[in-house]
Amino acid sequence: MSHLNIEHLTFSYPNREVLQDVSLEFRPGELIVLLGANGSGKTSLLKCIAKQLKPAQGKVFLDSRDLHVLDRLTLAKHVALMPQFEQRDAPMLVQDVVALGRSPHVGWLVPLGASDWSIIENAMRITGTWELRDRNVQELSGGEWRRMILARSIAQDASVLLLDEPTAGLDLRYQYECLERVRTIVKDKNLIGVVTMHDLNQAALFSDRIALLAHHQVLGFGTASEILKESMIECAFGVKVSVLKHPTRDIPLIVPIAAKQ
Amino acid sequence: MIASRMRHPAYLLFFTIGLLLLSIVFGISMGAVRIPFATTFAWLFGIDNGLSDSQRAILFELRMPRVLTAIIVGSSLAAAGVGFQGLFRNVLAEPYIIGASSGAALGVAIVIVLNLNATLLGISAPAIAALLGSMGVVALVFLVGALGRGSSQLSLLLSGVAISALANAAVSLLLFLNNQKAMVIVSWLMGSISSATWSSTAISGAVGGLGVAILWSRSRALDAYMLGDTASTSLGLDLIRFRLWMIVGGSLATAAAVSSAGIVGFVGLVAPQIARMLVGPKHSYLIPMSVCCGGIVMLLADVLARSLHDNLELPVGVLTALLGGPFFFGLLITRRGSRALS
């Protein structure tokens, strides 16, 4: 199975450095959580992997394949990106938006086949959007909309699933349900899942490994207990925390104390 | 399961195609020489119930090409409208507003002034000039719009308006400097499909058909494109190639329309809007539906243009603008909020 290698990736906007010489290796069947303060480059890293942004230096390999030399359609077969924001101008039906996830596999001309529709239905059932299939996307709540985009990314059937804050705006139950489902899919299909989020305790609960970004670099990359330490969190987020032990699981439990003066 | 739900727009589409065919019969039976609807209908199916030779000639040589040309013009403009509305992600875009029509008109005016009579593969110089003109303008609009702040829909639309104004000014300048050809250009710009012949119909049909086919073949890509640049590229859409196809397809369709009927405004706006209300935003239905609606609208406008006054034909472009202008206002006012312009 394929490994995702990010090698010496450097990216900056014209007047702001974002990522400097970032190297990471993700294994199949692994759910990675990217943590970091606002502007620490989580989204930029995802977008660099998905060729949405062009890194100044560095490469991204899926096994021995350089992802950035692939054409869009081939790349989309391997990498699915769920963006944080999307235009919602067209009053399309939920099922039609999810069905677009099959485009990398069937192209833009050929109609979808029965097997595509069963993949679409499955993706919608997993995300709890099957009941919404005939709804207009403009009528969806923020949370429903996110689940629909998640369904589309799952229907894309790629080996790398990049999710940019999939739980933002979801109620507590859907946050946990969403992350549980993502984790199940990653494990069942042996995918590489990379998820950005802000909740440290959720990150501890659902991640196999955490990559903590700060000051344009990877501050740490490892399991939750290796990364979520008081000093590291203080350095990355500028917040004093106490790290306790999770009552039922062998993971850390983070309790914020105060913003660092 | 899901497939069965799609029948609804498909039925509507078939119904509209039927309506289009009926309006063809209506269109060719109307005119200075009235030929009964039933007789025309029978004649179309090869049953000749007592038509005189002159009537037959009127039906076949005059009205058929004219009616078909009207449909081709309306259909092409409607398809180009949907294409540009998609490309600019704005329901107010259409060949006329975006400047494609003005670009085509400028191309034709230049060719008339220069007295070019060359043909390429049976396509006349004005038609080719129309194509190049509209392609040039749309590409320019896109480039100028994209040079500014990203490619926000508003800046694209505004650059379309600006470039359209430039092209119109250039046409006016050409008119002013070439007095003796002014009438040729003006009558051409006003648009008339009364001079349509079978050969002109065939050529505009081929060019317009090609444009419509290109646009229709991009239906699913257009659906994806509506979700924004990030989403559509992550679904595998190559934006540069896609936009190029849309410009080529939309310009072919515009050129087919402009080179056979002059500048006809608002059909490209009205027809897609009606189609959107009928079948929704999915382009695989929206494009053929717009094509049908555009054909019907244009055909009816032409019938109206030639029957409002007994011995005077109104320019069809004037008529569509007269009817389409208020429609456009209505659209601007009733559109929820100002999303269409942001």
Side-chain angles (χ1 to χ4, degrees):
Chain A
M1 280 310 282
S2 25
H3 287 236
L4 186 74
N5 281 299
I6 299 161
E7 294 180 359
H8 306 292
L9 195 93
T10 297
F11 173 79
S12 53
Y13 286 110
N15 44 17
R16 191 167 69 88
E17 194 176 27
V18 182
L19 299 166
Q20 196 186 37
D21 197 26
V22 167
S23 295
L24 290 164
E25 186 190 349
F26 302 149
R27 297 187 287 254
E30 202 177 34
L31 188 66
I32 305 287
V33 171
L34 291 184
L35 287 178
N38 289 336
S40 62
K42 302 185 295 292
T43 299
S44 300
L45 182 56
L46 289 189
K47 285 190 167 176
C48 280
I49 297 173
K51 202 181 165 182
Q52 292 287 338
L53 292 174
K54 197 179 167 347
Q57 270 161 42
K59 288 194 164 150
V60 181
F61 289 99
L62 189 60
D63 279 341
S64 54
R65 219 194 261 259
D66 184 347
L67 282 184
H68 287 192
V69 302
L70 298 178
D71 65 275
R72 286 273 172 213
L73 212 58
T74 318
L75 179 68
K77 278 185 206 168
H78 298 291
V79 179
L81 169 72
M82 172 182 168
Q84 256 182 70
F85 304 106
E86 247 178 49
Q87 294 200 341
R88 292 169 75 172
D89 287 350
M92 293 165 77
L93 297 185
V94 170
Q95 62 180 13
D96 292 334
V97 173
V98 177
L100 286 171
R102 298 304 299 157
S103 308
H105 300 275
V106 293
W108 301 108
L109 291 172
V110 189
L112 301 181
S115 65
D116 293 306
W117 281 113
S118 75
I119 291 170
I120 291 160
E121 182 179 336
N122 187 37
M124 294 180 88
R125 288 198 187 279
I126 291 175
T127 50
T129 48
W130 180 244
E131 283 64 41
L132 307 173
R133 62 190 180 279
D134 285 329
R135 292 261 294 276
N136 179 332
V137 294
Q138 293 180 333
E139 295 162 5
L140 298 182
S141 73
E144 289 169 334
W145 179 81
R146 260 168 212 285
R147 276 149 56 205
M148 172 188 77
I149 304 298
L150 181 63
R152 192 188 67 201
S153 305
I154 292 168
Q156 207 171 326
D157 208 14
S159 51
V160 179
L161 199 54
L162 309 172
L163 309 176
D164 200 0
E165 295 194 20
T167 52
L170 297 193
D171 65 32
L172 197 59
R173 183 190 145 181
Y174 269 121
Q175 287 188 22
Y176 280 80
E177 237 179 63
C178 165
L179 291 171
E180 270 164 25
R181 279 162 176 170
V182 169
R183 194 174 163 85
T184 312
I185 294 160
V186 166
K187 296 296 168 189
D188 286 354
K189 297 190 170 176
N190 212 21
L191 308 178
I192 296 170
V194 188
V195 180
T196 67
M197 59 173 82
H198 283 292
D199 187 318
L200 303 180
N201 289 314
Q202 273 180 6
L205 203 54
F206 290 102
S207 65
D208 291 304
R209 286 195 288 169
I210 294 173
L212 183 61
L213 299 180
H215 314 301
H216 320 303
Q217 280 168 332
V218 180
L219 199 63
F221 184 36
T223 61
S225 24
E226 288 165 3
I227 300 302
L228 297 177
K229 293 178 175 160
E230 287 168 10
S231 59
M232 301 255 272
I233 294 170
E234 203 176 308
C235 174
F237 293 97
V239 172
K240 275 192 76 66
V241 296
S242 273
V243 176
L244 312 174
K245 203 177 156 346
H246 192 278
T248 57
R249 300 267 306 271
D250 188 20
I251 51 171
L253 182 71
I254 291 91
V255 181
I257 306 293
K260 206 168 77 174
Q261 295 306 309
Chain B
M1 208 173 329
I2 295 176
S4 68
R5 295 171 194 286
M6 293 177 173
R7 287 219 188 103
H8 189 52
Y11 278 138
L12 267 174
L13 187 58
F14 279 121
F15 177 75
T16 313
I17 291 172
L19 211 61
L20 177 66
L21 295 178
L22 265 182
S23 67
I24 292 179
V25 185
F26 171 69
I28 54 179
S29 63
M30 290 294 287
V33 178
R34 298 266 151 79
I35 299 169
F37 198 73
T39 318
T40 316
F41 201 76
W43 172 76
L44 275 175
F45 285 92
I47 306 161
D48 205 332
N49 39 3
L51 282 170
S52 70
D53 279 352
S54 64
Q55 279 180 323
R56 222 169 287 137
I58 288 171
L59 282 180
F60 188 74
E61 297 295 340
L62 295 178
R63 294 206 187 142
M64 283 282 278
R66 177 171 190 160
V67 161
L68 290 179
T69 300
I71 288 172
I72 290 164
V73 168
S75 302
S76 305
L77 286 174
V82 179
F84 290 137
Q85 283 157 23
L87 180 64
F88 292 86
R89 295 200 188 99
N90 191 317
V91 292
L92 298 181
E94 64 121 18
Y96 185 58
I97 292 166
I98 277 312
S101 299
S102 313
L106 179 60
V108 175
I110 291 173
V111 162
I112 292 175
V113 167
L114 295 180
N115 244 338
L116 291 175
N117 289 317
T119 59
L120 183 74
L121 300 168
I123 303 171
S124 66
I128 293 168
L131 175 62
L132 294 178
S134 77
M135 274 176 75
V137 164
V138 178
L140 199 62
V141 167
F142 217 91
L143 281 177
V144 172
L147 278 182
R149 305 264 309 157
S151 52
S152 94
Q153 283 90 313
L154 186 58
S155 71
L156 286 174
L157 205 64
L158 288 178
S159 73
V161 171
I163 293 169
S164 172
L166 270 177
N168 285 334
V171 171
S172 302
L173 196 65
L174 283 177
L175 286 177
F176 185 71
L177 296 176
N178 295 275
N179 262 326
Q180 67 278 33
K181 294 209 175 102
M183 267 324 285
V184 186
I185 300 176
V186 168
S187 72
W188 190 90
L189 287 182
M190 294 270 238
S192 168
I193 34 188
S194 57
S195 56
T197 63
W198 274 108
S199 67
S200 74
T201 304
I203 288 166
S204 53
V207 176
L210 183 62
V212 172
I214 288 174
L215 294 170
W216 197 23
S217 74
R218 303 287 110 190
S219 290
R220 199 187 299 147
L222 262 167
D223 290 347
Y225 184 75
M226 295 316 289
L227 301 174
D229 288 356
T230 308
S232 51
T233 47
S234 71
L235 288 168
L237 191 66
D238 183 329
L239 286 184
I240 295 174
R241 258 173 48 195
F242 168 76
R243 285 176 176 147
L244 208 62
W245 275 117
M246 295 310 292
I247 290 173
V248 169
S251 302
L252 275 169
T254 306
V258 172
S259 64
S260 46
I263 290 191
V264 176
F266 296 107
V267 175
L269 179 77
V270 174
Q273 212 52 41
I274 297 171
R276 238 179 265 278
M277 285 189 259
L278 291 172
V279 295
K282 217 177 154 191
H283 289 88
S284 49
Y285 291 120
L286 180 57
I287 291 178
M289 189 55 140
S290 301
V291 163
C292 290
C293 292
I296 294 172
V297 166
M298 190 67 192
L299 193 152
L300 294 182
D302 180 50
V303 169
L304 207 58
R306 63 190 145 116
S307 46
L308 271 182
H309 199 286
D310 268 350
N311 36 24
L312 179 75
E313 256 188 38
L314 284 175
V316 72
V318 172
L319 200 71
T320 59
L322 273 177
L323 299 175
F327 186 89
F328 192 91
F329 277 127
L331 199 64
L332 268 174
I333 292 163
T334 57
R335 251 210 67 104
R336 279 178 294 163
S338 59
R339 186 164 349 96
L341 280 175
S342 58

